[in-house]
Amino acid sequence: MKKKILSSLTAVAIATSVISTPGIPLNPVKVEAAQDALKPTYETRSEIPDEFKWKLDHIYETKAAWEADVKKVEQMANDFTAHQGKISKSQDSLVKALNSYSDLMRLTDKVYVYANMSFDVNSTNPDLQELADKAGNVLTLVSEKTSWFAPEVAAMQANKLEKYLKSDEMKPYAMFVGDIIREKEHTLSTELEKLLAQISPLSSNPEDVYGALMTNIKFPMIKDETGKDIQLSRSNFISYMESENRNVRKAAFEGFYSTMEKYQDTFAQTISGNVKAHNINANVRNYDSALEASLSANNVPVEVYDNLVKTVNDNLPLLHRYMELKKKLLEVDELHMYDIYTPIVDYQADYIPYSKAKEMVKNGLKPLGPEVQSIIDKSFNEGWVDVYSTPDKRSGAYQWGAYDTHPYMLLNYQGTLDDTYTIAHEVGHALQSHYTNAKQPYMTSNYPIFTAEVASTLNEALMFKEMYNNAKTKEEKLYLLNQYLENFRGTLFRQTQFAEFEKAIHDMDKAGESLNAEALKKLYRDINAKYYGKTMISDEEIAMEWARVPHFYYNFYVYQYATSFAASQALSKQVMEEGDVAVKRITENFLSAGSSDAPLEVLKAAGVDMSTAKPIEDAMKVFEQTLDEMEKLLEE
């Protein structure tokens, strides 16, 4: 996943909270338990060899250097108010303000990224907590001091702005100003924008409480495959859900969700507060819905969301068919939700050392050409990646960085095939950041998640094709086919399931209905039962799964995983069929585009039209063909 920060948003959305990275795997892949004896394990960060840690001194060599830039940001933010009331006087006045705004946001990115990345790998360090808190305070200050800017630009005469935008000096700001004009009816007065900026930290409170609660919940002890007592946790939950021993995965499933249920009312309060904040923001800004408000910030029509949900619903019989195959291969009388992650193909997947995983990624991405290979080498060898986990390191994975840094990738590598795919995924984000920063000016250097996740899942698709083409045995092919089907289930189907739930809870709150724990559990269980069909027993415990998903605090975020996955299937097909022609088109028109155009237009230039349901339908055909191939192999 790519992390996103405040200054990458348009000015009209500047009061929104920072989006943070998920803490659970998005596409769990079923593999045999890794060989524990081969796993490097570290209790503290100091134990990890430097070659496996990212080099944040590439950003700031010392804390004093960071503090100097913090003071500079504070001064720049205060100085920026000098432009207030003057930008409409002349083109030169507007350009000067835009230049100042760009410089301010560019440096804000840098200080914010450094502080939070430092904290993410050592979250029990109070000094780093203080650093992150200070960065957050600076971000709030910047929001306050720039809150007047969008309303004042929006208030300028349209014909004057259009004339200004034709000049060379305004070219770097054309999209930025264009977005302000596009969102003019949703931009409030200077006073209200300032007020929203001041109270914006409150909107992140539900997510903060949720994160603190999840960090402090202690899950029960369960017995592993050998009968040994082990501590169940957020980080090992999925690995035990993948166990071939049904008793182990059932114990993990029931232990995890029964514990979550003890806190159901608190979870309901946090998610309800989050939803209310979204709905209030949409109402204040004159949007028809929170969904429209969220998508409008990235210039994505609501129809894209609706097309996704409808098309996936139309194709649910394919997922039901896959569940029937799972039940048959697992040889169970009843298929339960705790069976969903377990391998259905008898294939030994050994622990993959990190060195081998890197080579697998490079081989999988060879179709993207030698230039990409050289960038990957650089990322692996020059301190871009933080590899191994410690108890106080943030879970999950992400790619982040600022315009004036190289991309960084956070991993929690455990040696599974899923971890290898995660490397390819984050490398996709890193490539997009690298190319965009090289080609785009700062103001169009960032890119929305809608396009970001296409780059990452494109890499995953190419990885699968390379591995499947080189598979030597029937068992290996079956294993890879199953893994690919699981990617579809975990991304295209599951993330759309999440998207449907997310829209429903916002609609419920808007209609005045209570988002209490029982209502949330019923809604989630009903949607889950619809997606998995009659073959699957929708266990009572699964009704609490909504509380495990941090994505629901990210304001209509998850649908983009599904749309991106569909788009990447189309682009990977073009790469394999067209070769260098497709690679050049994708690199120049997509990976290097940033936010220089609307995301739908960027993808259209790359070769896929997400304004229609066709990419989703085509992806469903790939899912069906993969399912056909697996069933055919099983019959041989």
Side-chain angles (χ1 to χ4, degrees):
M1 166 183 177
K2 181 186 186 295
K3 259 196 169 186
K4 191 175 183 181
I5 54 181
L6 183 70
S7 56
S8 68
L9 306 179
T10 59
V12 294
I14 201 163
T16 60
S17 63
V18 176
I19 297 175
S20 56
T21 185
I24 61 172
L26 296 175
N27 307 315
V29 179
K30 282 134 295 305
V31 296
E32 294 287 338
Q35 301 167 30
D36 291 338
L38 297 177
K39 277 186 182 180
T41 56
Y42 303 100
E43 289 301 315
T44 65
R45 186 157 181 82
S46 61
E47 296 174 11
I48 303 175
D50 287 345
E51 65 184 290
F52 301 118
K53 294 188 284 191
W54 56 24
K55 299 186 185 305
L56 297 186
D57 58 353
H58 292 178
I59 308 177
Y60 291 105
E61 291 187 4
T62 64
K63 182 182 177 183
W66 177 82
E67 289 175 334
D69 268 359
V70 168
K71 290 180 180 178
K72 188 175 180 181
V73 167
E74 292 171 342
Q75 185 62 52
M76 291 169 70
N78 288 316
D79 290 347
F80 185 72
T81 59
H83 295 285
Q84 190 169 356
K86 301 175 182 177
I87 63 172
S88 62
K89 290 184 177 180
S90 67
Q91 178 180 310
D92 184 58
S93 298
L94 177 59
V95 170
K96 284 181 179 178
L98 286 166
N99 287 341
S100 297
Y101 180 83
S102 177
D103 292 343
L104 168 60
M105 290 309 200
R106 183 169 171 174
L107 191 57
T108 302
D109 283 2
K110 188 178 177 183
V111 299
Y112 187 85
V113 163
Y114 176 81
N116 282 273
M117 287 176 64
S118 299
F119 179 66
D120 282 351
V121 294
N122 201 347
S123 61
T124 59
N125 185 316
D127 292 336
L128 296 179
Q129 175 69 71
E130 184 180 350
L131 210 69
D133 289 344
K134 191 170 184 178
N137 293 337
V138 168
L139 207 58
T140 300
L141 173 68
V142 170
S143 295
E144 291 177 16
K145 298 299 183 180
T146 58
S147 60
W148 61 270
F149 193 37
E152 200 162 308
V153 173
M156 291 179 65
Q157 293 178 6
N159 59 348
K160 183 184 290 188
L161 272 177
E162 289 172 5
K163 180 182 177 182
Y164 290 171
L165 286 172
K166 294 177 182 178
S167 69
D168 290 340
E169 287 181 306
M170 287 288 291
K171 280 184 179 178
Y173 307 112
M175 284 298 297
F176 178 78
V177 173
D179 282 340
I180 292 177
I181 295 171
R182 179 175 57 81
E183 292 285 274
K184 182 174 182 177
E185 63 180 298
H186 306 295
T187 304
L188 307 177
S189 67
T190 299
E191 292 76 16
L192 284 176
E193 289 290 349
K194 183 177 181 180
L195 175 62
L196 288 179
Q198 289 174 335
I199 66 174
S200 64
L202 298 177
S203 66
S204 65
N205 278 357
E207 182 186 352
D208 293 341
V209 173
Y210 170 82
L213 180 58
M214 286 298 290
T215 300
N216 289 291
I217 288 178
K218 186 172 182 179
F219 294 94
M221 303 289 289
I222 63 171
K223 293 188 181 298
D224 67 9
E225 293 82 356
T226 66
K228 178 184 176 182
D229 288 332
I230 55 97
Q231 178 69 57
L232 187 64
S233 67
R234 290 171 65 196
S235 59
N236 66 19
F237 172 61
I238 289 295
S239 65
Y240 288 109
M241 286 287 287
E242 293 171 348
S243 174
E244 288 190 353
N245 187 315
R246 203 177 195 203
N247 290 330
V248 172
R249 59 182 188 261
K250 182 180 180 183
F253 179 80
E254 293 177 348
F256 191 94
Y257 287 120
S258 63
T259 302
M260 296 284 283
E261 193 169 25
K262 294 176 183 178
Y263 303 90
Q264 65 174 24
D265 293 329
T266 304
F267 283 125
Q269 285 295 317
T270 60
I271 200 169
S272 176
N274 189 65
V275 169
K276 286 182 184 299
H278 294 164
N279 279 339
I280 289 171
N281 177 71
N283 183 56
V284 167
R285 292 190 178 280
N286 302 311
Y287 289 101
D288 289 338
S289 66
L291 175 62
E292 183 191 16
S294 176
L295 270 60
S296 182
N298 288 329
N299 200 7
V300 175
V302 171
E303 290 74 22
V304 171
Y305 199 100
D306 294 337
N307 280 340
L308 170 69
V309 174
K310 181 182 184 304
T311 307
V312 170
N313 270 266
D314 290 344
N315 285 276
L316 286 178
L318 287 173
L319 181 59
H320 302 166
R321 178 180 151 195
Y322 178 43
M323 292 303 102
E324 290 167 4
L325 180 62
K326 268 185 173 284
K327 181 180 178 181
K328 177 183 176 181
L329 294 178
L330 288 174
E331 298 179 343
V332 293
D333 293 332
E334 293 181 340
L335 186 68
H336 287 262
M337 289 306 301
Y338 50 78
D339 298 318
I340 198 72
Y341 297 131
T342 193
I344 62 174
V345 176
D346 186 16
Y347 179 76
Q348 179 67 35
D350 293 332
Y351 175 84
I352 304 170
Y354 179 61
S355 57
K356 182 180 178 181
K358 291 190 293 184
E359 288 304 312
M360 291 169 66
V361 170
K362 286 189 63 181
N363 288 335
L365 302 185
K366 275 184 179 177
L368 294 178
E371 184 175 80
V372 164
Q373 291 286 301
S374 67
I375 297 170
I376 296 174
D377 280 336
K378 192 171 185 178
S379 72
F380 289 156
N381 299 326
E382 298 186 12
W384 294 20
V385 190
D386 205 85
V387 181
Y388 294 115
S389 62
T390 56
D392 61 350
K393 181 179 179 179
R394 188 184 184 108
S395 60
Y398 67 66
Q399 181 270 317
W400 208 9
Y403 187 70
D404 294 304
T405 75
H406 58 68
Y408 285 91
M409 291 174 272
L410 180 141
L411 308 174
N412 279 278
Y413 189 76
Q414 298 293 319
T416 66
L417 183 60
D418 189 46
D419 289 328
T420 305
Y421 272 86
T422 296
I423 296 172
H425 182 104
E426 301 308 334
V427 163
H429 292 313
L431 289 169
Q432 191 169 13
S433 293
H434 173 85
Y435 277 112
T436 295
N437 288 349
K439 183 174 181 178
Q440 297 295 329
Y442 170 75
M443 292 297 286
T444 54
S445 64
N446 214 304
Y447 43 90
I449 300 301
F450 191 86
T451 56
E453 292 303 329
V454 176
S456 54
T457 51
L458 168 61
N459 280 9
E460 292 187 49
L462 293 174
M463 278 277 291
F464 165 75
K465 294 176 189 297
E466 167 69 16
M467 294 181 69
Y468 189 73
N469 288 339
N470 289 286
K472 295 179 173 58
T473 66
K474 174 182 175 180
E475 289 73 21
E476 187 178 1
K477 288 182 178 180
L478 285 171
Y479 173 70
L480 291 169
L481 287 170
N482 181 215
Q483 184 271 335
Y484 201 42
L485 290 170
E486 278 299 299
N487 279 349
F488 272 89
R489 183 194 67 78
T491 309
L492 191 52
F493 288 105
R494 181 172 168 80
Q495 302 303 320
T496 304
Q497 175 187 341
F498 288 170
E500 189 168 341
F501 174 79
E502 187 172 10
K503 183 177 185 297
I505 59 178
H506 281 80
D507 289 346
M508 286 173 63
D509 176 74
K510 186 177 179 181
E513 298 177 38
S514 171
L515 294 183
N516 59 67
E518 294 303 325
L520 290 166
K521 286 161 64 178
K522 182 181 185 306
L523 173 65
Y524 192 88
R525 191 180 180 196
D526 287 348
I527 293 176
N528 187 80
K530 177 179 69 171
Y531 271 72
Y532 286 100
K534 294 180 180 179
T535 300
M536 176 70 74
I537 302 296
S538 192
D539 304 274
E540 289 184 12
E541 290 87 353
I542 200 62
M544 276 302 299
E545 189 176 40
W546 56 269
R548 189 174 75 91
V549 183
H551 304 60
F552 293 141
Y553 294 86
Y554 305 159
N555 196 7
F556 294 100
Y557 185 102
V558 294
Y559 87 97
Q560 296 164 115
Y561 285 119
T563 54
S564 297
F565 186 84
S568 67
Q569 297 304 307
L571 293 180
S572 67
K573 185 172 184 287
Q574 293 172 24
V575 169
M576 300 308 291
E577 292 178 352
E578 301 175 32
D580 292 344
V581 173
V583 170
K584 183 178 180 182
R585 181 175 65 244
I586 291 167
T587 301
E588 294 182 355
N589 298 341
F590 170 54
L591 293 179
S592 302
S595 57
S596 59
D597 205 344
L600 291 184
E601 296 305 314
V602 168
L603 286 175
K604 192 178 293 185
V608 58
D609 186 359
M610 293 303 299
S611 66
T612 71
K614 188 177 185 301
I616 312 294
E617 293 167 349
D618 288 346
M620 287 298 180
K621 291 175 184 176
V622 175
F623 179 78
E624 184 174 19
Q625 291 164 1
T626 307
L627 190 54
D628 289 342
E629 190 164 353
M630 186 170 185
E631 289 172 338
K632 181 180 177 182
L633 269 178
L634 287 166
E635 291 172 359
E636 292 179 358

